[in-house]
């Protein structure tokens, strides 16, 4: 498979070889998404070639910094950013229509506290984020890769979690959410043994949905069908 390019920089979406947690879909952008991209990517878009960011310079202030990995079509991220204008948000999504959709939300809502990458989250972690720069990392409804032979593709793995830990400040939070029970069990097993993390809930339990995590339309449909949703909220301890 030929790697999709980041059209803003002509860079590959990922530099990593081997197993990936995503498959690049060749979906087309809508006219509205395309126009939002053209208007707003130069202002809100970030690229691997920008190198290591300095959040205070990027946003022009010192504020709580959130990272959302795999924001889909961006509605949840835009809702969180609109509800917390005193915080800053960086989103990562490999699928270009999702980035266009978020940029349209940014325009429609008049948001100033959002920036976005259209590359692999692994590259953002490795090349773009200083250590101890994040207050919160959110991974909501990642691909569950539900077939057993595909479990190795799941994003939440011990090595990935440790790389995230170094980007969180001590006291920062890693918030994971899934609607696949088997994946929730996998996530809990990974996080319960992860060095430098502690569950914010007693007895290694799952967390109630934090009030600042929006409920998506997809989640509402699942809940209506009796599907479960599991939140895990862990804090960096060292």
């Amino acid at each position: 498979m030929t790697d999709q390019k980041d059209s803003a920089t002509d860079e590959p979406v990922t530099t990593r070889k081997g197993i990936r947690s995503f498959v690049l879909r060749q979906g087309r952008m809508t006219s509205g998404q395309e126009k939002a991209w053209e208007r707003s990517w130069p202002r809100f878009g970030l690229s691997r070639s920008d190198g290591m960011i300095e959040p205070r310079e990027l946003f022009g202030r010192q504020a709580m910094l959130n990272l959302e990995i795999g924001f889909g079509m961006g509605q949840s991220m835009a809702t969180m950013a609109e509800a917390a204008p005193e915080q800053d948000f960086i989103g990562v999504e490999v699928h270009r229509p999702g980035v266009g959709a978020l940029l349209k939300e940014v325009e429609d809502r008049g948001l100033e506290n959002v920036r976005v990458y259209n590359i692999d989250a692994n590259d953002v972690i490795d090349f773009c984020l200083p250590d101890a720069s994040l207050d919160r990392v959110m991974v909501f409804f990642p691909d569950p890769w539900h077939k057993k032979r595909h479990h190795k593709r799941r994003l939440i793995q011990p090595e990935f979690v440790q790389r995230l830990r170094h980007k969180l400040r001590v006291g920062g939070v890693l918030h994971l959410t899934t609607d696949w029970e088997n994946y929730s069990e996998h996530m809990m097993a990974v996080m319960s043994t992860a060095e430098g993390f502690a569950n914010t809930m007693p007895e290694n339990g799952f967390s109630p949905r934090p009030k600042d995590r929006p409920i998506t339309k997809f989640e509402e449909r699942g809940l209506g069908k009796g599907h479960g949703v599991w939140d895990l909220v862990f804090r960096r301890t060292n």
Side-chain angles (χ1 to χ4, degrees):
M1 179 179 66
T2 301
D3 281 339
Q4 175 181 314
K5 300 288 185 178
D6 175 339
S7 63
T9 63
D10 200 36
E11 294 179 334
V13 167
T14 184
T15 63
R16 292 173 67 88
K17 305 299 181 182
I19 297 170
R20 298 178 183 176
S21 64
F22 60 89
V23 174
L24 288 172
R25 299 186 296 271
Q26 301 302 317
R28 301 177 67 89
M29 299 177 78
T30 66
S31 174
Q33 292 165 0
E34 189 76 48
K35 290 176 181 177
W37 180 294
E38 292 171 357
R39 289 189 300 263
S40 292
W41 177 265
R43 181 176 180 187
F44 298 104
L46 299 171
S47 300
R48 185 188 301 105
S49 59
D50 295 333
M52 201 71 69
I53 66 168
E54 208 302 309
R56 182 178 295 184
E57 294 180 3
L58 184 64
F59 290 96
R61 63 179 182 177
Q62 183 71 40
M64 179 176 172
L65 184 59
N66 302 273
L67 175 73
E68 183 176 359
I69 294 173
F71 57 73
M73 300 307 285
Q75 290 184 340
S76 291
M77 185 174 178
T79 298
M80 289 188 293
E82 185 176 34
E86 75 284 358
Q87 300 179 25
D88 294 325
F89 293 79
I90 296 175
V92 182
E93 177 56 60
V94 294
H95 300 292
R96 194 165 180 257
V99 176
L102 175 60
L103 291 173
K104 189 173 187 305
E105 291 284 346
V106 166
E107 290 183 347
D108 291 346
R109 301 176 190 234
L111 303 178
E112 300 289 340
N113 57 339
V114 172
R115 300 294 185 273
V116 59
Y117 284 100
N118 183 210
I119 57 175
D120 183 1
N122 286 289
D123 283 2
V124 175
I125 293 166
D126 291 344
F127 305 126
C128 305
L129 296 175
D131 286 350
S133 61
L134 302 173
D135 295 279
R136 179 170 56 170
V137 176
M138 298 168 287
V139 187
F140 298 155
F141 305 103
D143 193 326
W145 293 103
H146 57 278
K147 294 181 180 179
K148 188 172 182 179
R149 69 177 183 271
H150 291 155
H151 285 186
K152 60 189 176 183
R153 288 181 173 268
R154 288 175 168 177
L155 182 64
I156 305 305
Q157 304 288 354
E159 183 267 347
F160 182 75
V161 165
Q162 286 305 311
R163 286 164 56 229
L164 284 179
R165 176 169 72 98
H166 293 296
K167 303 307 172 180
L168 281 165
R169 64 171 178 81
V170 174
V173 165
L174 175 57
H175 180 184
L176 311 175
T177 304
T178 183
D179 59 347
W180 282 80
E181 186 172 13
N182 176 265
Y183 200 4
S184 75
E185 293 167 350
H186 169 87
M187 288 176 170
M188 184 62 78
V190 169
M191 293 306 303
S192 295
T193 58
E195 178 185 353
F197 280 102
N199 197 334
T200 61
M201 298 301 295
E203 301 179 2
N204 284 328
F206 292 96
S207 173
R209 179 182 65 86
K211 292 181 180 179
D212 57 356
R213 179 177 74 75
I215 298 179
T216 66
K217 292 181 180 178
F218 172 81
E219 184 179 355
E220 284 181 340
R221 287 197 298 268
L223 291 171
K225 295 177 181 179
H227 296 175
V229 174
W230 293 267
D231 286 87
L232 296 80
V233 181
F234 279 71
R235 193 174 304 280
R236 181 183 175 182
T237 58
N238 63 62

